[in-house]
Amino acid sequence: VVEQADTATLFGDHRHPYTAGLLSSRPTRGRRRASLPTIPGEPPDLANPPPGCLFYDRCPRRSDERCARQRPDLVTVAPGHQVRSFYAARDAES
């Protein structure tokens, strides 16, 4: 789980880049796309997971080695809204 919130929050105020990637790939009524956007990189091998964040290799926000070494906790950024990211709380403040 990378993000938990009610539907309105996930669609309107998502904080994790994986959630953003999933939402950008959903079909929309009345609009045609040549192709669906993709999330760059490859998912981790869950049989042999990396030591850090499972989204590390695919994350546009990673900026330090902490992400490669430590798995982020699920943190509360607002009542009923939790995100597994070192950057979610920082994003909530801006």
Side-chain angles (χ1 to χ4, degrees):
V1 174
V2 295
E3 188 159 9
Q4 291 181 197
D6 61 75
T7 305
T9 300
L10 280 180
F11 277 80
D13 189 25
H14 49 273
R15 304 280 175 85
H16 198 281
Y18 186 66
T19 306
L22 290 174
L23 291 174
S24 72
S25 68
R26 75 186 189 278
T28 55
R29 190 171 43 174
R31 265 191 355 193
R32 292 190 73 143
R33 295 185 194 173
S35 64
L36 292 174
T38 61
I39 299 171
E42 294 293 322
D45 177 3
L46 296 180
N48 187 24
C53 178
L54 295 177
F55 197 64
Y56 177 79
D57 287 334
R58 305 174 83 190
C59 185
R61 293 183 183 170
R62 71 174 188 257
S63 62
D64 60 50
E65 287 301 309
R66 175 176 61 162
C67 299
R69 294 186 319 268
Q70 182 182 349
R71 193 154 297 145
D73 292 326
L74 195 62
V75 296
T76 299
V77 294
H81 190 181
Q82 295 84 35
V83 182
R84 189 175 306 280
S85 171
F86 293 119
Y87 306 104
R90 188 181 322 156
D91 292 348
E93 294 168 1
S94 53

